[in-house]
Amino acid sequence: MRPQGRPTVVAACCLVLSLSAGVLAAVPSAPFAAAKPPDPAAKKKQLDSKINQQKADLDDASDQLGKSVAAYNQAETKYQAVQARYAAAQGQLAAAKAADAVAAGKLAAAEAALKSAVADVEAGEKLIAEKRAVAGRAVRSAYQQQNTLVGLSIALRGAAPADIATGMQVQRNVFGIQGNAITNLNNAQAQLASKRVKVAAAEKDAAAARVASAATVRKVTELTKQVAADKAEAATVAKVKLVAYKAAEKEKNSELAQYNSLLRERGRVEALLAARAKAEKAAAARRKAAAEKAEREKARKEHRPPRNIPDPVSNGGGRLGYPVSSYITSPYGMRFHPVLHYWKLHDGTDFRAPCGTPVRAAADGVVTDKYFNGGYGNRLFISHGVMDGSSITTVYNHLSKYKAHVGERVRKGEIIAWSGTTGYSTGCHLHFMVYKDGNVVNPMGWL
């Protein structure tokens, strides 16, 4: 049996939920009232609609608490993953922006180099045009001046030797000018060709820089969108996580409140059973004393020694029989609550018992109570009187239907009810409890 609610860092619920230690449900008016319980089928249907039938790793937490905590853990994991992805995308975006800045710088440099190279080519072409014009004039002048009769012409005109020498010098100068013009033209053309090669290289570099820059721009754009998407997702998951956290906290507080309520109820019930046990043992002692007195009187009359009067025990021989023919699915013992971090007693032994399995009285006794409890479901109590010197009461929980009624005396092995999964239970089973002198004990010590 387990109380309601449960936040945990481990998801879930148990194979079969177990009852908290020795807790009787508070029933209206007098304790152990014999009022007719609500219809088990209707109550089971109502409870089943609220309980998720699933197995889990925890024994002492409600299904809703397990679901709330599992949802929170899932949201937390997803949030951390999104945050990591968001941080990675931000880093990639920063790197992409840096790469984009470098690419933009390279592009600007390449375009500047291309512009300079184009300007050099244009200047070279202009220079070549000028050189070509100078060379043309020089060639035309040389052609006009170049003939072998120039000196004779000068001589025939009666020119002085000095004039002849001057004419020859002019001819040499003209041919020198021609040669210089042609040389300059050739040099300018060679430089122009080199500049055109540089222009081609600059154009290639600029084209590559444009491609690289465009790629980084696309990368920056994509990463900017990714960062925005991751940021939005992180915000959404954070909201989900917050909702899940609040739900888990609510369930945890509910679990704690339920646990404290069960502890108070356990104290109340154990006090009642202890008082009942005291009264039963006192009554048994009085019966024994009366029997011993009667035996002594009888022995006196019959002139024989009195026989020993044994302690009163049930007709079951002083030991309990198994309530169902099955195996144990969850033993009695202390368990650590993974959420509230306290040790909690699993106050009975759980037996596998498919719904509708006959449940039998563990020993002769009287049915003292039967009622529905939110945790234990439909319960039935049998008082077996004093056994081995102790007052013994057995309790049968999660029943689907009753057969015995309050006040009825039953025999060991008699069918008293049928198993079920009422209350906080994740599956059909029987939670069997034993009280010794008002205190819950390990049933296996009596079976």
Side-chain angles (χ1 to χ4, degrees), residues 85-216:
R85 190 167 67 246
Y86 175 51
Q90 284 182 311
Q92 292 175 353
L93 178 58
K97 287 182 177 180
D100 181 50
V102 172
K106 289 183 178 179
L107 176 60
E111 290 181 340
L114 175 60
K115 183 177 180 180
S116 176
V118 169
D120 287 346
V121 168
E122 291 176 351
E125 289 176 343
K126 181 177 180 181
L127 179 61
I128 286 176
E130 293 175 354
K131 297 290 186 182
R132 189 174 285 129
V134 172
R137 289 194 300 270
V139 169
R140 286 194 298 276
S141 175
Y143 179 78
Q144 293 171 358
Q145 299 295 328
Q146 184 180 356
N147 59 74
T148 58
L149 300 178
V150 64
L152 180 58
S153 174
I154 293 173
L156 292 176
R157 286 201 300 268
D163 294 333
I164 294 174
T166 301
M168 296 300 292
Q169 183 63 41
V170 169
Q171 185 178 6
R172 285 194 295 273
N173 290 341
V174 168
F175 281 105
I177 292 171
Q178 178 188 13
N180 290 337
I182 293 173
T183 299
N184 291 338
L185 179 59
N186 290 336
N187 291 338
Q189 287 177 334
Q191 292 175 0
L192 179 60
S194 176
K195 291 177 180 179
R196 283 175 175 163
V197 170
K198 291 182 179 179
V199 167
E203 286 179 342
K204 184 177 180 180
D205 291 343
R210 290 189 192 100
V211 171
S213 181
T216 57

Side-chain angles (χ1 to χ4, degrees), residues 266-287:
R266 182 175 67 188
R268 182 187 71 84
V269 170
E270 288 186 342
L272 290 174
L273 290 180
R276 177 184 289 180
K278 184 177 180 180
E280 286 180 346
K281 292 173 75 172
R286 287 193 298 271
R287 288 194 300 271

Side-chain angles (χ1 to χ4, degrees), residues 187-311:
N187 291 338
Q189 287 177 334
Q191 292 175 0
L192 179 60
S194 176
K195 291 177 180 179
R196 283 175 175 163
V197 170
K198 291 182 179 179
V199 167
E203 286 179 342
K204 184 177 180 180
D205 291 343
R210 290 189 192 100
V211 171
S213 181
T216 57
V217 168
R218 287 194 300 272
K219 185 67 174 177
V220 168
T221 302
E222 292 172 359
L223 287 173
T224 299
K225 292 180 180 179
Q226 183 63 49
V227 166
D230 289 344
K231 184 178 181 180
E233 184 179 2
T236 300
V237 174
K239 292 180 180 178
V240 172
K241 185 180 76 169
L242 180 60
V243 171
Y245 173 77
K246 289 181 177 179
E249 280 296 299
K250 180 180 178 181
E251 292 299 329
K252 178 180 178 181
N253 293 335
S254 175
E255 171 95 349
L256 183 59
Q258 176 69 7
Y259 176 67
N260 290 332
S261 174
L262 292 176
L263 288 179
R264 291 190 297 270
E265 181 65 9
R266 182 175 67 188
R268 182 187 71 84
V269 170
E270 288 186 342
L272 290 174
L273 290 180
R276 177 184 289 180
K278 184 177 180 180
E280 286 180 346
K281 292 173 75 172
R286 287 193 298 271
R287 288 194 300 271
K288 182 179 179 181
E292 289 175 341
K293 181 178 180 181
E295 172 60 22
R296 287 193 300 270
E297 182 64 24
K298 183 178 181 181
R300 185 182 64 80
K301 291 180 180 179
E302 295 177 355
H303 305 286
R304 61 173 174 81
R307 290 187 292 266
N308 290 329
I309 303 299
D311 290 333

Side-chain angles (χ1 to χ4, degrees), residues 280 320 382-385 387 390-394 434-436 446:
E280 286 180 346
L320 302 177
I382 298 178
S383 173
H384 304 287
M387 300 174 64
S390 300
S391 175
I392 300 298
T393 297
T394 55
V434 174
Y435 283 91
K436 175 184 175 183
W446 285 85

